[in-house]
Amino acid sequence: MIEEINAVDAAKLKEQDPEVCFLDVREDMELEICRIDGALHIPMGTIPETFEQLPRSATIVVLCHHGMRSMQVAQFLQAQ
């Protein structure tokens, strides 16, 4: 199930369940500006080849800059 959450709720979710995986789908150059420590970084364009690396049993929180890429990746992952 895809559910939109804000940053505060994502942080609370991580506190409640340390196994939550933050998946950052931004490009490398965007990480130079801002990053979340501990997030798994896989740029959106490489997700189709690399999504099998993601934990199967964990909740995955997908993030990007504005939310468009993260929604597309979340939809792709759900379809898989």
Side-chain angles (χ1 to χ4, degrees), residues 21-78:
C21 175
F22 284 166
L23 173 60
D24 190 334
V25 297
R26 296 175 299 149
E27 297 299 321
D28 293 337
M29 65 183 187
E30 292 175 280
L31 294 183
E32 295 173 13
I33 299 167
C34 176
R35 70 174 57 230
I36 295 177
D37 289 337
L40 176 61
H41 175 239
I42 303 176
M44 181 179 153
T46 64
I47 290 291
E49 301 92 45
T50 59
F51 75 92
E52 291 187 9
Q53 298 174 16
L54 297 172
R56 296 281 181 187
S57 60
T59 298
I60 298 174
V61 176
V62 186
L63 60 111
C64 66
H65 185 72
H66 290 291
M68 297 301 293
R69 289 175 285 181
S70 58
M71 181 57 79
Q72 289 175 340
V73 169
Q75 290 171 341
F76 171 82
L77 293 175
Q78 185 177 41

